[in-house]
């Protein structure tokens, strides 16, 4: 069994916090474990918990459309969440829950070694880029950290609630596309 599959199996059988009692499925992630681009959200919602896959439902459809605008598909990147199980009623994850899952995301990063990490939403950006990250002011900006380029986009669910942010997000996606062209070696055919 390779290291990625071993990590996935450990995650799928995790009981390190109370979310294990209420989950339907662990949501480890989807896409290519060798991808150079990693997208990280906060935690699974109800649809994700039911299907065991991140970003499905209305927000997932919008994310797929956003990726398609810059020539990306789920199977060419990797999509996951910081927390792998759904908090009840979609509440924000507690610190103990975040801490229980932190090792899984850290190990995913070690195994993947992505060149670009995209935080989906303010909470993910505050966890990964910087605790005082301001999504309304810093979305779409790139930061280099631990040998990786990091940026944050508005969460697709936020864009569904406030479609007025879509033009800014389109510009952020174009910046992401340019950064992929600049630093990634294994790029989709559209970028060749």
């Amino acid at each position: 069994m390779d290291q990625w599959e071993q990590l996935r199996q450990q995650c799928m059988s995790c009981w390190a916090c109370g979310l294990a009692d209420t989950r339907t499925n662990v949501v480890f992630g989807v896409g290519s474990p060798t991808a150079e681009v990693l997208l990280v959200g906060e935690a699974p919602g109800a649809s994700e918990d039911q299907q065991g896959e991140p970003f499905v439902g209305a927000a997932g459809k919008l994310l797929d459309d956003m990726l398609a605008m810059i020539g990306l598909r789920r199977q060419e990147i990797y999509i996951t969440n910081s927390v792998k199980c759904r908090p009840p009623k979609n509440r924000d994850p507690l610190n103990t829950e975040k801490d229980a899952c932190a090792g899984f995301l850290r190990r995913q990063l070690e195994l993947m070694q992505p060149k670009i990490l995209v935080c989906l939403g303010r909470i993910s950006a505050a966890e990964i880029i910087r605790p005082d990250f301001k999504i309304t002011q810093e979305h779409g900006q790139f930061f280099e950290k631990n040998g990786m380029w990091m940026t944050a986009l508005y969460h697709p669910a936020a864009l569904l609630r406030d479609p007025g942010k879509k033009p800014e997000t389109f510009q952020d996606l174009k910046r992401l596309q340019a950064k992929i062209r600049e630093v990634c070696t294994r790029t989709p055919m559209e970028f060749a």
Side-chain angles (χ1 to χ4, degrees):
M1 183 182 315
D2 71 1
Q3 291 181 31
W4 187 265
E5 184 56 27
Q6 195 173 16
L7 176 64
R8 195 181 80 72
Q9 291 297 329
Q10 289 170 353
C11 187
M12 299 307 262
S13 60
C14 178
W15 288 85
C17 77
L19 294 181
D21 296 331
T22 57
R23 72 181 178 221
T24 302
N25 285 295
V26 175
V27 183
F28 184 68
V30 67
S32 170
T34 60
E36 293 181 308
V37 179
L38 172 64
L39 277 61
V40 181
E42 176 191 8
S47 298
E48 290 79 10
D49 181 50
Q50 286 300 312
Q51 296 182 41
E53 185 173 317
F55 288 90
V56 294
K61 170 78 173 92
L62 178 56
L63 179 61
D64 289 344
D65 292 346
M66 291 164 59
L67 295 170
M69 282 184 217
I70 59 169
L72 292 176
R73 296 178 313 210
R74 281 179 182 244
Q75 54 269 44
E76 298 163 335
I77 60 172
Y78 200 82
I79 306 170
T80 191
N81 288 298
S82 296
V83 173
K84 309 299 186 192
C85 296
R86 177 186 182 222
K89 299 186 169 104
N90 291 348
R91 65 161 167 73
D92 288 348
L94 305 174
N95 287 337
T96 54
E97 296 159 352
K98 291 180 200 175
D99 292 346
C101 267
F104 292 119
L105 181 60
R106 190 170 31 257
R107 188 72 179 125
Q108 285 176 308
L109 284 167
E110 288 169 6
L111 292 172
M112 285 184 70
Q113 297 188 344
K115 295 197 170 149
I116 298 174
L117 189 154
V118 180
C119 297
L120 295 171
R122 171 187 59 82
I123 293 172
S124 177
E127 290 276 319
I128 295 169
I129 297 174
R130 201 178 62 248
D132 63 346
F133 190 89
K134 306 280 187 265
I135 191 85
T136 55
Q137 297 160 18
E138 298 178 285
H139 64 85
Q141 295 178 31
F142 278 90
F143 305 86
E144 192 171 10
K145 184 177 175 184
N146 302 325
M148 251 182 294
W149 287 100
M150 299 184 180
T151 190
L153 302 176
Y154 285 115
H155 194 286
L159 295 173
L160 290 173
R161 288 189 301 272
D162 184 359
K165 289 183 166 74
K166 285 183 180 180
E168 299 172 72
T169 300
F170 181 72
Q171 293 305 313
D172 294 346
L173 288 166
K174 296 307 278 181
R175 279 192 285 278
L176 173 58
Q177 183 181 44
K179 185 59 79 176
I180 291 170
R181 286 180 174 149
E182 177 190 334
V183 304
C184 293
T185 55
R186 298 183 312 271
T187 56
M189 291 305 292
E190 290 84 350
F191 292 162

